[in-house]
Amino acid sequence: MLYHFSESQRRAISASDGATLVLAGPGSGKTAVITARIRFLVETRHIPPEHILVITFTRAAAQEMRLRFQSMMEGKRLPVQFGTFHAVFFSILKHAWRYRSDQIITQEMKYAFMREILGSYRLPEDERQELTGLLLEEISAVKNNQLALEHYYAKCCGTSQFRDIYTAYDGKLRANGLIDFDDMLTMTRELLLQRADHLQVWQEKFRYILVDEVQDMNALQYEILRLLAAPQNELFFVGDDDQSIYQFRGARPELMRHFTRDYASANQLCLEENYRCGSRIVRASLALIAHNKNRFNKRITAARRQEGCVSVREYPSVFQENQAIIKKIRELHGEGLAFREVAVLYRTNRQSGYLTEQLLAGGIPFFARESVPLVYDHWIAKDMLSYLRLGAGGRNRSDILQIMNRPLRYLSRDVLDEPRVDLDCWEAAYEEQPWIARRIAQLAEDLQVMSHMGPFAAMNYVRKGIGYEAYVTDYARTHGQKEQELMEVLDELQQSAVGFSTLEQWQAHVKEYRQRMKEEQRKRGTSGEGVQILTLHGAKGLEFDTVFLPQLLEGLLPYKKAVLDADIEEERRLFYVGMTRAKERLFISASKTLYNKDAAASRFLAELQNPVAAAGEQLPDVM
């Protein structure tokens, strides 16, 4: 049964009774090990299959595990239970309190509830949409980490506002007899702690518990598993603390170290071979991750004979960096590599916008696995486009209303009844209120100055001359948002106007890009053809022949929000995950400027050290 496994895999599959922690690095065959472990328990240890529970983090992973086990068992359908944390915990609640699946709130209902709650705050629609996701994410973090609301300080908005919104959202759930996924965890914990009879039933049913991707587990999930596994403690944990990248969802890689403390006699094993990456990629990634202090030390070797290549380059600008990537993709495709075997990975999905524009212009097909936020859809972009249309001579009432108090001029819409606004008439209407008339006159003068400028210069004038940047700073402070993130939207928007001499040219480009991106997003989920564009988080669990990691800059990776040592370590793990998606080729790059401002290469590049030197194939120069 075990003859085709490596020695380290065989040790894990046939581990002795009791708690076991298996450290499974990238490409180490952990799914094969878990399914073989189940078979070993059934056939060698004679454990009744109905007493075995296998937990994964996604339904797709649970289904894949089930199918692979059935194939291994030559189609025999044994009653081993495979499921996600939420599916298993909901089944416990369903048996205890007769919950129905239609009482689980859908994502659409969550957003509808939150939009309704935010309606009383009189926010513009685009701002309300942006805040909705941030609030739901933060509410989830509070619940999962079992934080006391009265002692919690919010990040996405004012603390008192957050507490009111949290209370209103929770009240809507209860009033409608609904629960969310976070409630499933908290309620399961309460049930098992308060009802010993229910706890005993599930302890007897699930005598052997195997858990995949344990580095993504949060403290609440870990506590519930410990309750279910007692007193036999037949826990088989498989994961890699070096790939823990979901701290924002409550994941705690330190729980793996706690495991060996909580179960002092636990087996600790390591899958030592990487079957995915070439040896150069393995050495470079290990050189990087070794700089993390809070981790298990692992001895990992490349099982493949191919060395692969690692390239690190720096370019004068992001434009030239992207052109080098496109040039290399064309070269590899010409040599026979399918576009779908190429991935470009970013720290945030907003970073990919500039490259996708250049891919579209170059006729290279791509597939964005995650929704790429269009900078042109942001409320700041709407402000800027209104300013530019007015500067070019437009006088639509909608554009005037969009910007007349951005920055604040204390202007009223009272006399703006016509679809087209005459600025002289508007000013004359306030003849008896000269302080208002002067503000309108100043706006008219600013628009006249802009009339002689191209889009890039006009946006710069709005930012600096009209005072829009000061408005954004004040907006960020009063709305509890990050000023730097809003400034980056301004930077990205202005950068996109480079090379266009007229507003008409730029608007035509924006219109075409929006349309083509909508077409690409419609294909998302139905077609995987083309170069794969993903975030580093979205790439977890995937592998590609060739991987590009561009924009390795301070402030992007590590991300600007990462301040504490623990945060920096997570950012390094994120880079490690990105590096280990590559099988044959890994191209890492940075630029000396970003949005026409000096940029510093990521500190992580220096940590790659010598394994990258003389590593063969390189990203090209750009003519």
Side-chain angles (χ1 to χ4, degrees):
M1 170 186 161
L2 302 180
Y3 64 90
H4 59 284
F5 288 98
S6 71
E7 179 59 33
S8 64
Q9 289 174 328
R10 287 196 293 269
R11 285 197 299 268
I13 293 166
S14 59
S16 58
D17 288 344
T20 299
L21 176 64
V22 179
L23 304 174
S28 60
K30 65 182 178 61
T31 302
V33 166
I34 293 173
T35 51
R37 171 69 176 179
I38 303 167
R39 182 178 182 178
F40 179 82
L41 291 175
V42 172
E43 293 185 344
T44 304
R45 296 279 174 78
H46 306 295
I47 305 301
E50 61 270 21
H51 290 318
I52 299 174
L53 170 65
V54 184
I55 296 181
T56 66
F57 273 81
T58 66
R59 282 184 293 180
Q63 178 67 0
E64 179 192 357
M65 197 85 73
R66 179 186 292 110
L67 292 175
R68 289 185 66 163
F69 176 65
Q70 287 177 358
S71 175
M72 181 180 286
M73 302 302 291
E74 299 177 345
K76 285 191 290 185
R77 293 183 174 271
L78 301 178
V80 175
Q81 183 165 333
F82 297 84
T84 64
F85 277 103
H86 291 109
V88 172
F89 295 166
F90 184 70
S91 68
I92 293 174
L93 296 178
K94 183 169 64 175
H95 281 86
W97 292 326
R98 301 294 186 265
Y99 270 105
R100 306 182 310 274
S101 58
D102 61 2
Q103 290 179 279
I104 304 172
I105 189 171
T106 64
Q107 193 75 353
E108 292 77 14
M109 290 177 69
K110 286 173 68 172
Y111 273 78
F113 280 180
M114 190 57 69
R115 283 194 294 268
E116 185 179 336
I117 293 167
L118 291 177
S120 62
Y121 288 85
R122 298 182 180 178
L123 294 170
E125 175 59 26
D126 44 13
E127 295 175 36
R128 187 158 61 243
Q129 288 180 355
E130 185 176 355
L131 188 56
T132 294
L134 294 174
L135 281 165
L136 289 171
E137 186 177 290
E138 196 157 352
I139 288 171
S140 176
V142 171
K143 289 186 176 184
N144 271 286
N145 289 296
Q146 304 175 76
L147 303 175
L149 185 60
E150 61 272 19
H151 300 308
Y152 180 76
Y153 292 92
K155 300 172 184 174
C156 66
C157 65
T159 295
S160 61
Q161 283 183 327
F162 177 81
R163 291 172 183 171
D164 291 342
I165 291 168
Y166 180 105
T167 302
Y169 169 75
D170 209 49
K172 279 186 171 292
L173 288 179
R174 304 298 162 251
N176 289 274
L178 298 171
I179 61 174
D180 60 21
F181 285 111
D182 307 307
D183 292 329
M184 289 184 197
L185 304 187
T186 57
M187 294 170 70
T188 300
R189 174 183 177 274
E190 290 173 6
L191 172 69
L192 298 181
L193 287 174
Q194 296 172 8
R195 293 289 302 272
D197 53 337
H198 283 275
L199 176 59
Q200 184 177 357
V201 167
W202 293 105
Q203 286 174 334
E204 290 177 356
K205 178 171 177 57
F206 299 135
R207 296 181 184 174
Y208 288 77
I209 302 175
L210 298 85
V211 187
D212 189 18
E213 304 281 13
V214 293
Q215 75 276 356
D216 297 334
M217 194 168 46
N218 65 37
L220 189 52
Q221 292 164 334
Y222 180 56
E223 183 181 355
I224 295 170
L225 286 180
R226 293 197 66 201
L227 287 169
L228 290 173
Q232 291 177 296
N233 298 325
E234 290 291 349
L235 285 169
F236 189 83
F237 276 16
V238 182
D240 182 10
D241 56 326
D242 290 334
Q243 296 187 76
S244 180
I245 58 174
Y246 294 115
Q247 185 174 326
F248 64 95
R249 294 181 187 169
R252 295 292 178 264
E254 63 269 19
L255 293 176
M256 294 178 67
R257 293 190 295 277
H258 292 173
F259 183 86
T260 56
R261 178 198 67 191
D262 296 333
Y263 302 98
S265 60
N267 304 303
Q268 182 178 315
L269 306 168
C270 180
L271 304 183
E272 298 173 347
E273 297 84 12
N274 180 325
Y275 294 92
R276 175 190 301 154
C277 308
S279 58
R280 283 174 172 154
I281 298 171
V282 171
R283 290 199 302 272
S285 63
L286 291 176
L288 170 84
I289 202 63
H291 285 79
N292 273 5
K293 297 178 181 177
N294 296 308
R295 61 183 291 266
F296 289 101
N297 290 319
K298 309 174 187 72
R299 186 184 65 185
I300 298 176
T301 60
R304 301 177 58 210
R305 292 182 178 179
Q306 296 88 338
E307 288 190 332
C309 84
V310 179
S311 164
V312 180
R313 292 293 301 270
E314 190 173 27
Y315 294 92
S317 70
V318 175
F319 176 82
Q320 290 167 297
E321 181 182 24
N322 287 344
Q323 286 299 302
I325 291 171
I326 291 170
K327 184 177 179 180
K328 192 66 182 182
I329 291 172
R330 287 190 189 281
E331 177 187 316
L332 293 172
H333 184 64
E335 294 171 359
L337 183 65
F339 283 128
R340 65 176 176 273
E341 280 297 322
V342 178
V344 186
L345 310 182
Y346 288 97
R347 173 62 177 82
T348 68
N349 56 6
R350 182 170 293 284
Q351 289 173 255
S352 63
Y354 199 20
L355 176 67
T356 57
E357 288 199 48
Q358 290 178 249
L359 288 171
L360 285 172
I364 293 180
F366 66 90
F367 177 69
R369 286 177 175 263
E370 301 153 279
S371 178
V372 177
L374 301 185
V375 69
Y376 308 116
D377 289 338
H378 199 281
W379 60 266
I380 286 177
K382 295 175 184 177
D383 287 355
M384 279 294 172
L385 283 167
S386 288
Y387 264 116
L388 265 59
R389 284 192 290 264
L390 294 169
R395 293 295 181 264
N396 285 342
R397 177 177 181 268
S398 59
D399 284 331
I400 292 288
L401 293 177
Q402 180 78 22
I403 59 88
M404 68 182 187
N405 285 309
R406 297 185 174 191
L408 190 60
R409 299 180 178 93
Y410 299 98
L411 298 177
S412 168
R413 63 175 63 202
D414 291 346
V415 298
L416 300 177
D417 298 326
E418 298 298 323
R420 181 173 172 81
V421 177
D422 185 310
L423 295 181
D424 292 334
C425 292
W426 189 22
E427 181 183 349
Y430 289 98
E431 185 178 3
E432 296 180 1
Q433 296 173 287
W435 60 90
I436 297 180
R438 281 195 296 272
R439 294 175 188 136
I440 298 172
Q442 182 61 54
L443 175 60
E445 183 179 325
D446 287 330
L447 297 178
Q448 177 61 31
V449 172
M450 292 170 58
S451 66
H452 305 293
M453 299 177 176
F456 183 90
M459 272 192 268
N460 203 53
Y461 183 78
V462 174
R463 295 177 69 168
K464 311 291 186 182
I466 293 179
Y468 190 81
E469 283 191 3
Y471 163 75
V472 168
T473 297
D474 185 64
Y475 178 92
R477 179 180 56 80
T478 56
H479 288 73
Q481 295 194 23
K482 302 291 184 182
E483 177 186 349
Q484 187 174 351
E485 292 179 3
L486 297 180
M487 290 299 179
E488 285 174 1
V489 173
L490 273 170
D491 290 338
E492 182 182 351
L493 187 69
Q494 189 173 357
Q495 182 68 37
S496 74
V498 172
F500 296 96
S501 57
T502 68
L503 175 62
E504 290 73 21
Q505 291 174 348
W506 186 52
Q507 281 190 302
H509 165 75
V510 171
K511 182 178 180 181
E512 180 187 7
Y513 177 65
R514 288 171 65 114
Q515 183 59 38
R516 294 181 71 177
M517 281 304 297
K518 285 179 181 176
E519 292 172 4
E520 290 296 328
Q521 290 180 359
R522 274 198 295 271
K523 289 190 284 185
R524 197 160 50 89
T526 60
S527 171
E529 293 304 316
V531 175
Q532 310 286 298
I533 310 292
L534 304 98
T535 62
L536 290 166
H537 286 101
K540 179 99 175 342
L542 303 176
E543 59 182 44
F544 305 92
D545 178 276
T546 299
V547 168
F548 293 89
L549 291 172
Q551 294 186 29
L552 262 292
L553 302 173
E554 285 292 311
L556 292 177
L557 191 69
Y559 198 52
K560 55 184 173 289
K561 292 181 181 178
V563 178
L564 302 176
D565 288 345
D567 299 330
I568 297 297
E569 292 210 348
E570 172 140 341
E571 294 292 301
R572 191 177 284 109
R573 292 194 294 268
L574 199 53
F575 187 20
Y576 176 77
V577 166
M579 294 177 70
T580 54
R581 299 311 94 195
K583 294 189 287 187
E584 298 290 343
R585 304 174 186 88
L586 175 62
F587 298 106
I588 302 167
S589 57
S591 59
K592 294 181 179 179
T593 61
L594 180 66
Y595 305 131
N596 295 315
K597 300 174 184 176
D598 290 341
S602 170
R603 71 191 75 174
F604 296 154
L605 296 187
E607 296 174 358
L608 295 177
Q609 298 174 341
N610 294 328
V612 179
E617 195 171 357
Q618 294 283 303
L619 257 175
D621 293 317
V622 178
M623 302 302 292

